[in-house]
């Protein structure tokens, strides 16, 4: 056993610490348990000291970070349960199973809390699809998500997909799940009651996914391919049965505590539940239903076989549990009991195979790393816009922007997902945010994920604020008040000072924006070591956000509704072109500073739009983001199948007027007799508002200072916008 | 009248069927577990969509052996209205209650979207609220909806007027764009599109009620 801890991802100092906790050398099973529990993936040992900045309190917060998922009060004795999680490394080397089990894991986190999952979202980042490997990853990640979510009968209603070179060797697959529950039925993973039986329910335990959590906490390199066996294999049918069985079981009050067996399997679920309850657990591995013979204690404790749960049951009610699971054709085996000594004690063949304090497994060492502004940052942020030669034909530029991979319609992806099952999807994918009704009430829930990694790369603090602001803005565009965040922080190796600087500033940015906008963070996930041989990814703090709609009849969508409606631009265009899609697509440049954000102005814009929708004054609303005013306009026109004629007066350069990505802006359409009222309200909210045109015809026409700069048939733009991704994926 | 929604392990549009009947039709409806052997107290039997038995082997191939399927067969023989939607359609073909088979979509991908459907037969108890040739919009959501019949059976289907719905455009490779068929007797309908997902104005589509409502109309008149 020559420094085997190093192979398991532990440092010499950590190994010493284990010895001092135990007062002896750990055996291999114990070492394995520490190695997974003390991995970044399970312990957040590099990020925890930073995460404490995030605002996690609010009047709606029933459960903040630390449980399987966050819970928010939405009134009428109902609560929303939400969580996002990454499955980046598994998806890099085995995209289909990696993505599928990412979805499976996040769904379990939601129903573990006792909630019925009602929606999935997926935030994806890939390289550009011009090589075979990247296409293979895209094709299989999407298929993996589709096959798992579709079979579960949980609609995949939204998300986002970006294509950037920085994700080529290390794609990001972040899955978010949302559930609804009656407030008084929330379950938690807190083991209680000395002598209460501990049961493993659901699938059998096999050799798949052993050490997955440790693998997720290392950079990817050539040898990563060899770690394929540490990727779990998913079975959505098994999970569907597990979901129904668990929800049926919760109808009884036999369950004391429950936790999903995800990363680090039996080890994490047992020690986390025990530590939360201040108790211990004794586990007899001879009683765990296995799918393979002669598994060692090490393998059983570290297996990440999917579709399993660990449940603490009221003593004497094991049979009730068994009966429910038998109905659904699933295992339910009593494997141990809650003890009073705070130890996780693992037995096999009557012998003690591991005996460690539960709390020591969950209290991993924490590291505050050194930070350093990257040496390249200053040069990156310098951009002399005057050196950018304006394009000769803005029509061509608009077509290029509209059909860029990041702006083009994601229809090719989301039509592979069943986004309608359960018949609650009121606003389907492709709009600013998805909206679901809540049957039996007047309420609705709006959901979105957001992050522009490019902005975060150029200026992590501001870019991360924008991720929060834009998510909130998107929710407001459909008429929902933002109520909570679940974040998925995807970064490179935190042991590198530059990456740690990015991580820290990003968290501070999220904190600032959440505080100013009054939106608490209730759950989340950190994924570090996202680096391949081609370097680190862009810092990508994905923001998942939920919004509440009190009256589902008062919502809005981005499509233009009627000819002759007036088009109004809200907010101020400051001609910010740094980090824009326009700069990338038309000039192959990723530099400058991202657009700046004034959270006070942002808040006013959001409140104005919410009020306009509530009062029924506007017919369409669409956030201005990537691609600027021009892209927002075209998207509203295409989805409404109506042309538009715009006339702008500006002191900005024509191309900047069209494509600047200045924040806190929106395009709305209004019936002509409501224009005055809308402009007056905008004035009250101190939001700049300009009537800029009219919905009419079959072309997109834009005049700037009296000169026609854009005149393109809607049909042509629609074809490039809708067809681009399909074309990329199908061409050889 | 009373509707039964059969629940197989892995069914997931059972909820959709249930609420379409309860809220869309405002009729009585109950879930029925697949182990049930007697369906005589129900007037209409719905086999919902989803992934019964995870679509292992082939979509619908295992569910056809569920105890409830014997009861479905008995009620079909009695002339009760039976509608299989999506996975329910797949189960009905596997059980031999409807002709043909559903293969993987031509493009090998799952497809979820709202598509145009053309009514081919307005004389069935499921289509009396529609006119032959009428175009309606219905959601589809399937990976195995590519309907296949051999030439001989296709000829029979045409002779007996058993083709009830066609896709307006080729969606999944189905023979002659067939989207739904009925048995010879005219009381067992199978279709890939989802009428039960189009029953409420809030969902942006109520075209499904043409089909579900026809069932109610014709039951009042005494069925077939």
């Amino acid at each position: 056993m020559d420094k085997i801890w190093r192979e398991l991802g532990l440092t010499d100092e950590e190994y010493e610490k284990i010895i001092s906790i135990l007062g002896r050398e750990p055996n291999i099973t114990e070492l394995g348990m520490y190695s997974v529990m003390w991995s970044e993936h399970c312990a957040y040992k590099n990020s925890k000291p930073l995460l404490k900045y995030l605002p996690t309190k609010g009047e709606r917060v029933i459960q903040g970070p630390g449980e399987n998922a966050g819970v928010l009060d939405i009134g009428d004795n109902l609560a929303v349960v939400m969580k996002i999680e990454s499955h980046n490394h598994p998806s890099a080397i085995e995209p289909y199973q990696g993505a599928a089990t990412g979805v499976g894991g996040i769904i379990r986190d939601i129903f573990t809390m006792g909630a019925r999952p009602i929606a999935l979202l997926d935030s994806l980042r890939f390289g550009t699809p011009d090589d075979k490997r990247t296409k293979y990853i895209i094709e299989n990640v999407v298929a993996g998500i589709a096959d798992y979510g579709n079979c579960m009968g949980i609609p995949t209603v939204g998300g986002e997909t970006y294509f950037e070179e920085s994700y080529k060797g290390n794609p990001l697959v972040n899955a978010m799940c949302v559930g609804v529950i009656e407030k008084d039925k929330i379950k938690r993973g807190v083991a209680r009651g000395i002598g209460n039986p501990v049961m493993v329910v659901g699938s059998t335990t096999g050799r798949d996914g052993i050490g997955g959590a440790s693998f997720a906490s290392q950079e990817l390199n050539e040898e990563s391919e060899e770690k394929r066996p540490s990727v779990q294999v998913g079975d959505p049918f098994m999970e569907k049965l597990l979901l129904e069985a668990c929800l049926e079981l919760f109808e009884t009050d036999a369950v004391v505590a429950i936790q999903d067996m995800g990363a680090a399997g039996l080890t994490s679920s047992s020690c986390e539940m025990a530590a939360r309850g201040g108790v211990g657990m004794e586990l007899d591995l001879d009683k765990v239903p296995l799918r393979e013979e002669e598994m060692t204690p090490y393998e059983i404790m570290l297996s990440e076989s999917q579709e399993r749960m660990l449940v603490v049951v009221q003593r004497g009610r094991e049979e009730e549990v068994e009966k429910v699971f038998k109905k659904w054709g699933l295992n339910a085996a009593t494997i141990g009991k809650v003890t009073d000594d705070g130890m996780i004690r693992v037995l096999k063949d009557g012998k003690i195979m591991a005996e460690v304090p539960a709390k020591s497994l969950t209290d991993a060492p924490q590291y505050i790393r050194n930070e350093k502004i990257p040496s390249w940052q200053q040069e990156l942020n310098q951009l002399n816009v005057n050196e950018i030669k304006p394009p000769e034909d803005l029509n061509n530029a608009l077509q290029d922007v509209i059909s860029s991979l990041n702006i083009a319609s994601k229809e090719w992806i989301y039509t592979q997902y069943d986004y309608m099952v359960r018949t609650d999807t009121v606003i389907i994918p492709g709009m600013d945010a998805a909206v679901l009704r809540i049957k039996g009430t007047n309420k609705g829930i709006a959901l979105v994920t957001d992050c522009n990694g490019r902005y975060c790369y150029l200026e992590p603090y501001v870019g991360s604020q924008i991720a929060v602001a834009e998510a909130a803005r998107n929710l407001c565009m459909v008429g929902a008040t933002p109520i909570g965040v679940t974040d998925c922080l995807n970064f490179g190796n935190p042991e590198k000072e530059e990456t740690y600087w990015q991580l820290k500033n990003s968290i501070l940015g999220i904190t600032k924006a959440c505080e100013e906008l009054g939106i608490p963070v209730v759950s989340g996930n950190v994924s570090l070591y996202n680096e391949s041989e081609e370097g680190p990814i862009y810092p990508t703090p994905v923001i998942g956000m939920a919004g509440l709609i009190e009256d589902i009849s008062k919502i809005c969508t981005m499509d233009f509704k009627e000819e002759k409606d007036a088009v109004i631009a809200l907010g101020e265009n400051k001609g910010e072109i740094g980090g824009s899609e326009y700069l990338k697509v038309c000039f192959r440049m990723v530099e400058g500073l991202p657009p700046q954000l004034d959270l006070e102005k942002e808040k006013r814009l959001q409140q104005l739009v919410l009020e306009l929708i509530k009062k029924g004054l506007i017919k369409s609303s669409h956030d201005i983001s990537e691609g600027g005013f021009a892209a927002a306009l075209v998207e509203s026109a295409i989805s409404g199948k109506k042309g538009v004629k715009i006339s702008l007066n500006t002191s900005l350069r024509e191309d900047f007027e069209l494509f600047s990505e200045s924040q806190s802006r929106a395009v709305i359409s209004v019936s002509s007799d409501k224009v005055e009222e809308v402009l007056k309200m905008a004035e009250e909210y101190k939001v700049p508002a300009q009537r800029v045109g009219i919905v009419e015809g079959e072309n997109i026409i834009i005049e700037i200072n009296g000169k026609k700069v854009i005149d393109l048939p809607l049909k042509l733009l629609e074809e490039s916008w809708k067809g681009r991704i399909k074309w990329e994926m199908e061409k050889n | 009248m009373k509707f039964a929604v059969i629940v197989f392990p892995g069914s997931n549009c059972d909820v959709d069927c249930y609420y379409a009947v309860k809220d869309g039709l405002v009729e009585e409806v109950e879930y029925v577990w697949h182990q049930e052997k007697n369906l005589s107290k129900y007037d209409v039997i719905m086999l919902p969509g989803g992934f019964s038995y995870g679509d292992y082997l082939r979509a619908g191939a295992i569910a056809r052996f569920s105890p409830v399927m014997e009861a479905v067969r008995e009620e079909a023989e009695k002339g009760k209205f039976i509608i299989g939607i999506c996975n329910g359609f797949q189960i009905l073909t596997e059980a031999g209650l409807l002709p043909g088979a559903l293969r993987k979509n031509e493009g090998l991908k799952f497809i979820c979207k709202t598509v145009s459907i053309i009514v081919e037969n307005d004389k069935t108890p499921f289509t009396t609220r529609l006119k032959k040739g009428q175009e309606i919009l219905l959601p589809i959501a399937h990976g195995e909806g590519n309907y296949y019949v051999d030439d001989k059976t296709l000829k029979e289907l045409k002779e007996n007027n058993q083709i009830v719905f066609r896709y307006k455009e080729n969606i999944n490779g189905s023979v002659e764009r067939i989207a739904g068929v009925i048995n010879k007797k005219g009381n067992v309908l199978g279709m890939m599109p989802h009428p039960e997902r189009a029953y409420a104005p809030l969902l942006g589509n109520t075209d499904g009620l043409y089909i579900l409502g026809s069932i109610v109309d014709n039951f009042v008149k005494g069925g077939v």
Side-chain angles (χ1 to χ4, degrees), chain A residues 139 150-153 235 237-238 240-241 327-328 412 415-426 437 439 552, chain B residues 9-13 15-16 19 33 51 53-54 56 109-114 139-141 196-197 199-200 202-203:
Chain A
E139 186 95 29
N150 295 350
C151 183
M152 287 299 294
D235 180 348
F237 174 56
M238 187 63 82
K240 169 74 174 162
L241 303 179
K327 173 189 162 187
W328 290 97
W412 182 87
T415 53
Q416 296 185 52
Y417 305 149
D418 189 343
Y419 51 79
M420 300 185 265
V421 63
R422 300 191 64 76
T423 60
D424 291 327
T425 315
V426 174
R437 63 174 175 172
K439 284 193 195 96
I552 190 75
Chain B
S11 292
N12 63 32
C13 305
V15 187
D16 304 1
Y19 282 99
W33 186 237
F51 292 74
Y53 295 95
Y56 292 158
K109 285 189 169 44
F110 192 94
I111 309 168
C112 177
K113 58 178 172 183
T114 295
I140 56 162
E196 86 286 14
R197 292 190 185 185
Y199 73 89
L202 193 57
L203 301 172

Side-chain angles (χ1 to χ4, degrees), chain A residues 427-472:
Chain A
I427 297 184
I428 67 171
M431 298 286 177
D432 286 77
V435 171
L436 293 117
R437 63 174 175 172
I438 299 175
K439 284 193 195 96
T441 75
N442 246 344
K443 293 181 200 290
I445 291 290
L447 301 169
V448 71
T449 67
D450 229 304
C451 180
N452 183 318
R454 211 185 286 156
Y455 294 170
C456 296
Y457 167 62
L458 296 173
E459 198 178 6
Y461 182 68
V462 175
S464 304
Q465 285 186 34
I466 291 178
V468 175
E470 198 185 323

Side-chain angles (χ1 to χ4, degrees), chain B residues 76 80-83 92 97-98 126 181-183 186-190:
Chain B
K80 258 183 208 168
F81 298 153
I82 291 163
I83 177 169
L92 289 173
L97 286 164
L98 287 174
F126 304 90
V181 297
I182 198 161
N183 64 343
N187 65 321
V188 180
L189 173 74

Side-chain angles (χ1 to χ4, degrees), chain A residues 60 62 71-80 180-188:
Chain A
R60 291 190 185 276
I62 296 175
V71 186
L72 290 155
D73 193 335
I74 58 165
D76 295 340
N77 194 36
L78 290 174
V80 162
V180 170
I181 186 171
E182 285 171 43
K183 243 163 69 180
D184 46 9
K185 291 192 176 157
I186 297 167
K187 298 285 168 207
R188 289 189 170 88

Side-chain angles (χ1 to χ4, degrees), chain A residues 149-326:
Chain A
N150 295 350
C151 183
M152 287 299 294
I154 302 167
T156 300
V157 297
E160 44 174 354
T161 309
Y162 283 87
F163 302 87
E164 302 276 1
E165 289 77 0
S166 96
Y167 304 110
K168 188 177 171 193
N170 193 131
L172 302 184
V173 176
N174 295 176
M176 171 171 162
C177 187
V178 177
V180 170
I181 186 171
E182 285 171 43
K183 243 163 69 180
D184 46 9
K185 291 192 176 157
I186 297 167
K187 298 285 168 207
R188 289 189 170 88
V190 184
R192 285 207 178 91
I194 310 307
N196 273 338
V198 176
M199 301 180 81
V200 54
V201 301
S203 194
T204 50
T205 298
R207 287 197 172 94
D208 54 327
I210 291 172
S214 305
F215 159 61
S217 308
Q218 291 158 10
E219 289 178 28
L220 292 169
N221 54 37
E222 268 179 10
E223 286 148 30
S224 301
E225 194 69 14
E226 291 167 18
K227 300 266 171 79
R228 262 168 100 108
S230 63
V231 178
Q232 315 85 334
V233 178
D235 180 348
F237 174 56
M238 187 63 82
E239 177 129 319
K240 169 74 174 162
L241 303 179
L242 184 62
L243 161 69
E244 298 303 335
C246 283
L247 292 183
E248 196 171 313
L249 178 65
F250 297 152
E251 291 298 313
T252 74
D253 56 354
V255 175
V256 176
I258 180 164
Q259 182 154 337
D260 153 45
M261 290 163 79
L266 188 50
T267 301
S268 65
S269 51
S270 58
C271 75
E272 285 176 7
M273 281 206 287
R276 282 191 205 109
V279 293
M281 251 182 223
E282 193 171 286
L283 307 170
D284 184 352
L285 300 189
D286 291 326
K287 294 183 178 151
V288 177
L290 303 178
R291 74 175 71 136
E292 289 171 81
E293 284 173 16
E294 291 178 15
M295 285 181 70
T296 65
Y298 178 91
E299 290 171 327
I300 298 171
M301 289 306 290
L302 266 61
S303 162
E304 294 188 7
S305 287
Q306 298 287 290
E307 294 93 24
R308 299 178 301 158
M309 295 275 193
L310 196 67
V311 194
V312 178
V313 179
Q314 302 273 9
R315 198 175 352 178
R317 300 185 67 175
E318 297 91 324
E319 267 181 42
E320 278 176 66
V321 179
E322 284 161 18
K323 205 177 140 209
V324 170
F325 281 83
K326 197 174 168 207

Side-chain angles (χ1 to χ4, degrees), chain B:
Chain B
M1 60 188 296
K2 200 175 205 171
F3 285 69
V5 176
I6 310 294
V7 182
F8 298 96
S11 292
N12 63 32
C13 305
D14 45 346
V15 187
D16 304 1
C17 287
Y18 182 89
Y19 282 99
V21 175
K22 182 173 168 280
D23 296 341
L25 296 178
V26 198
E27 295 287 345
E28 223 183 314
V29 56
E30 279 174 13
Y31 293 115
V32 179
W33 186 237
H34 72 118
Q35 298 286 354
E36 181 60 54
K37 290 180 180 137
N38 186 341
L39 294 172
S40 57
K41 67 170 174 170
Y42 301 101
D43 304 308
V44 181
I45 297 158
M46 302 179 87
L47 281 76
F51 292 74
S52 58
Y53 295 95
D55 273 1
Y56 292 158
L57 196 57
R58 243 184 356 258
I62 302 178
R64 63 168 285 214
F65 294 110
S66 276
V68 78
M69 286 310 294
E70 212 30 64
V72 170
R73 191 183 305 276
E74 280 167 27
E75 301 304 321
E77 275 162 21
K78 285 189 215 158
K80 258 183 208 168
F81 298 153
I82 291 163
I83 177 169
I85 302 163
C86 202
N87 190 226
F89 183 18
Q90 293 159 343
I91 296 169
L92 289 173
T93 60
E94 287 288 338
L97 286 164
L98 287 174
L102 282 312
R103 301 174 299 181
K104 267 196 188 308
N105 292 346
E106 202 171 51
L108 302 180
K109 285 189 169 44
F110 192 94
I111 309 168
C112 177
K113 58 178 172 183
T114 295
V115 299
S116 290
I117 304 289
I118 308 289
V119 180
E120 285 294 316
N121 179 351
D122 58 8
K123 301 285 189 297
T124 81
F126 304 90
T127 50
T128 45
R129 286 193 186 182
L130 293 159
K131 289 267 169 302
K132 186 175 159 66
Q134 190 177 340
E135 186 177 328
I136 58 172
L137 289 172
L138 287 179
I140 56 162
H142 59 246
E144 299 182 26
N146 179 352
Y147 185 73
Y148 177 79
V149 273
D150 59 28
D151 292 344
K152 183 169 157 276
T153 319
L154 180 66
K155 200 164 153 255
E156 276 173 32
L157 287 180
K158 285 180 181 167
E159 281 166 6
N160 300 323
N161 219 0
Q162 282 175 260
I163 300 168
V164 184
F165 301 110
R166 281 187 216 270
Y167 304 105
K168 190 180 178 192
E169 286 160 13
N170 177 28
I171 299 288
N172 51 25
S174 292
V175 168
E176 296 204 355
R177 306 191 320 280
I178 290 172
V181 297
I182 198 161
N183 64 343
K184 220 181 263 181
K185 195 167 167 183
N187 65 321
V188 180
L189 173 74
M191 60 191 295
M192 288 313 293
H194 289 272
E196 86 286 14
R197 292 190 185 185
Y199 73 89
L202 193 57
L203 301 172
N205 187 355
T206 53
D207 284 3
L209 288 178
Y210 289 124
I211 295 161
L212 302 177
S214 295
I215 301 175
V216 179
D217 293 351
N218 291 294
F219 174 75
V220 174
K221 287 178 214 153
V224 281

